[in-house]
Amino acid sequence: MNKITFVIPSRNNLEFLQLAYESIRNLNTTHEILVLNDASTDGTQEWINNQQDEDLIVYHNPGPERIGIVGMFDKGIEMARTDIIMAFHSDMVACKDFDINILKHLEKGKVITGTRVEPPLHPDGPEKILRNFGIEVDEFNMEEWYEKSNLLKNERVTEGIFAPWCMYKEDFLAIGGHDELFAPQSKEDSDLFNRFHLKGYKFIQPWDALVYHFTSRGSRFNKHSGGAAGKNSDEWLQTTTKNGRNFIRKWGHFIKHTPLMKPIVPPKYNIGLIIKNCNDSLLHALEPWGDILYIDEGNTPSMIDNYIILESPNTDYDLYSRLRPYDNEKNCEILVEIDGKIFNEEDWKILMQLSEIIKDSGSIGKFQLNNIIVEIIQMNEYQNTLIDL
């Protein structure tokens, strides 16, 4: 059988990492395990150093600052010594024959996703199986997992992608890896999956390749970051908010996918927002949704500068190039006029679906949607320019 490099970033997740490691070593093939220890303070480095395992590859970030999933996954995949890589999380436990049931589908240009079995910490969904084998490590029994996971397996194959995912290293490197815009983590996977999709890679999810996923122990529910099972850490709340806005800036929409988690990527247009009667809260809400914003500052001419000072630490985008006074020449390909005095919830819904609306309109011209006026000058699409870094 082909060997896989299981790439596992871990930060203060030793008790979960030990289970992940055990489950991979229990597979019939001795695959390579590459652990990227991200400035852990829970004994992770000491435990790794005590392993007598020639197929265990290690990178230690000495800290004190963490690198995050974005940088760690890319570093690990570059270090991988096999042609096949698996992005695996430290809070996942593989079932028996997990590798066999992944590899039987793998070809160049395909990404194979394991099916998650999760306790009820997140809402159920059609892409996973909700079963409680333990919310914490001390509640988990490996033999029970092996026995009962065999009963959960079936021959279904669906189309979607999420962690853990497996592919040829060459295919991953072909698009340049994760986008540092989303460092240290949050929304980096959705960005990556959009780019896989636009590159033409096929997504396959076999339902006999199961992992038990304790869920979100890297940052969101990590007790060392102020979280707990089902409790969001402040660290995660900050990064998910920041990178949700960065995702919109990049793609022109928020994350979209089918119920089975196949990415949906609407067109990316060159959009200018012309905002009359703007105020601070409206500027904060609208800024990610346009490539350039033309702002009527009214009686507060420092609005743009103040916003840039506050928001610049949260993005790599040059906000000075994105925000311009209202009377500047409007040179975007699609212009959207918004009046802050009458902008309402229905207008919000339109703005969030604007790419699809423009695509469906299919024509050059000017039209009004509720309180929003849209002028289409050109309809060039730019989403394919976002594939490669």
Side-chain angles (χ1 to χ4, degrees):
M1 179 188 292
N2 289 325
K3 294 185 71 170
I4 302 169
T5 298
F6 285 77
V7 181
I8 312 177
S10 187
R11 179 177 64 121
N12 289 327
N13 259 337
L14 177 57
E15 57 184 345
F16 296 100
L17 176 63
Q18 289 169 328
L19 279 181
Y21 176 85
E22 179 185 352
S23 71
I24 297 167
R25 279 292 166 259
N26 285 345
L27 300 171
N28 288 332
T29 298
T30 304
H31 297 286
E32 297 203 340
I33 300 176
L34 201 164
V35 176
L36 300 114
N37 173 29
D38 197 2
S40 295
T41 57
D42 65 347
T44 294
Q45 182 167 353
E46 293 76 11
W47 176 79
I48 290 172
N49 291 342
N50 287 330
Q51 304 309 303
Q52 303 298 315
D53 186 345
E54 63 183 14
D55 293 297
L56 175 61
I57 311 166
V58 182
Y59 173 80
H60 293 295
N61 167 29
E65 297 299 320
R66 65 175 174 140
I67 294 173
I69 284 177
V70 170
M72 282 302 206
F73 263 132
D74 282 15
K75 185 169 189 65
I77 291 169
E78 289 178 2
M79 291 172 61
R81 300 185 298 206
T82 63
D83 293 333
I84 299 170
I85 56 94
M86 168 81 73
F88 204 82
H89 289 189
S90 59
D91 60 353
M92 292 177 172
V93 183
C95 71
K96 290 288 189 181
D97 295 330
F98 174 74
D99 52 345
I100 294 172
N101 295 332
I102 289 285
L103 289 173
K104 69 186 179 184
H105 297 280
L106 185 64
E107 298 174 358
K108 292 287 182 67
K110 292 183 177 180
V111 188
I112 316 302
T113 290
T115 296
R116 296 170 300 177
V117 180
E118 293 186 346
L121 290 176
H122 292 309
D124 198 3
E127 84 289 354
K128 64 184 176 181
I129 300 169
L130 212 63
R131 292 287 190 284
N132 190 357
F133 288 92
I135 290 175
E136 302 296 346
V137 166
D138 60 6
E139 302 168 343
F140 181 83
N141 181 284
M142 187 73 80
E143 292 307 315
E144 179 191 17
W145 160 243
Y146 286 150
E147 177 185 351
K148 293 186 177 179
S149 62
N150 279 331
L151 302 176
L152 296 174
K153 295 176 183 176
N154 62 65
E155 296 301 314
R156 292 178 67 202
V157 176
T158 53
E159 193 175 12
I161 182 170
F162 40 79
W165 47 265
C166 180
M167 67 192 302
Y168 277 92
K169 177 178 177 178
E170 179 183 348
D171 284 341
F172 178 83
L173 296 178
I175 66 165
H178 290 85
D179 190 342
E180 286 288 335
L181 174 67
F182 301 100
Q185 94 282 318
S186 194
K187 311 302 183 286
E188 81 291 337
D189 49 357
S190 296
D191 172 80
L192 185 70
F193 301 159
N194 274 9
R195 291 158 54 217
F196 284 167
H197 177 58
L198 293 174
K199 190 76 170 177
Y201 296 165
K202 303 301 181 185
F203 304 132
I204 295 174
Q205 180 190 348
W207 287 68
D208 57 2
L210 307 182
V211 295
Y212 189 64
H213 183 213
F214 286 95
T215 74
S216 301
R217 301 308 172 98
S219 174
R220 186 173 185 175
F221 297 160
N222 190 304
K223 62 186 178 183
H224 294 273
S225 303
K231 176 190 174 186
N232 297 328
S233 69
D234 290 342
E235 172 188 85
W236 179 84
L237 289 170
Q238 189 271 330
T239 56
T240 198
T241 300
K242 172 177 76 76
N243 284 341
R245 292 169 63 79
N246 280 324
F247 191 95
I248 297 167
R249 289 183 183 106
K250 180 172 181 177
W251 292 98
H253 59 83
F254 197 57
I255 299 160
K256 297 177 185 287
H257 50 71
T258 68
L260 289 169
M261 306 300 285
K262 179 182 179 181
I264 297 172
V265 187
K268 174 71 171 73
Y269 297 111
N270 175 234
I271 294 177
L273 301 184
I274 304 170
I275 308 175
K276 302 177 183 177
N277 299 308
C278 194
N279 56 53
D280 292 326
S281 61
L282 188 62
L283 175 57
H284 182 269
L286 293 178
E287 179 269 313
W289 292 92
D291 295 285
I292 298 177
L293 282 75
Y294 302 94
I295 309 298
D296 170 17
E297 297 185 276
N299 296 322
T300 56
S302 61
M303 184 189 306
I304 292 176
D305 288 339
N306 288 343
Y307 177 82
I308 290 173
I309 291 169
L310 291 173
E311 187 68 9
S312 286
N314 298 321
T315 185
D316 293 339
Y317 282 91
D318 178 7
L319 297 181
Y320 283 102
S321 69
R322 291 173 57 81
L323 300 178
R324 301 179 185 177
Y326 181 81
D327 57 2
N328 270 208
E329 181 181 357
K330 316 299 191 292
N331 54 12
C332 291
E333 296 177 0
I334 297 172
L335 298 174
V336 180
E337 296 183 29
I338 294 171
D339 187 338
K341 287 186 176 179
I342 56 175
F343 187 76
N344 59 28
E345 189 65 29
E346 185 62 29
D347 298 325
W348 254 122
K349 293 177 182 178
I350 292 168
L351 189 63
M352 288 188 285
Q353 300 296 323
L354 191 58
S355 293
E356 292 95 331
I357 292 170
I358 292 170
K359 179 72 172 179
D360 290 343
S361 76
S363 61
I364 305 301
K366 196 169 187 176
F367 55 91
Q368 184 163 345
L369 300 167
N370 203 46
N371 297 312
I372 295 176
I373 299 172
V374 180
E375 182 179 5
I376 301 175
I377 303 163
Q378 298 183 59
M379 290 186 63
N380 297 314
E381 296 185 10
Y382 296 97
Q383 64 273 15
N384 286 335
T385 69
L386 304 176
I387 298 172
D388 301 318
L389 295 181

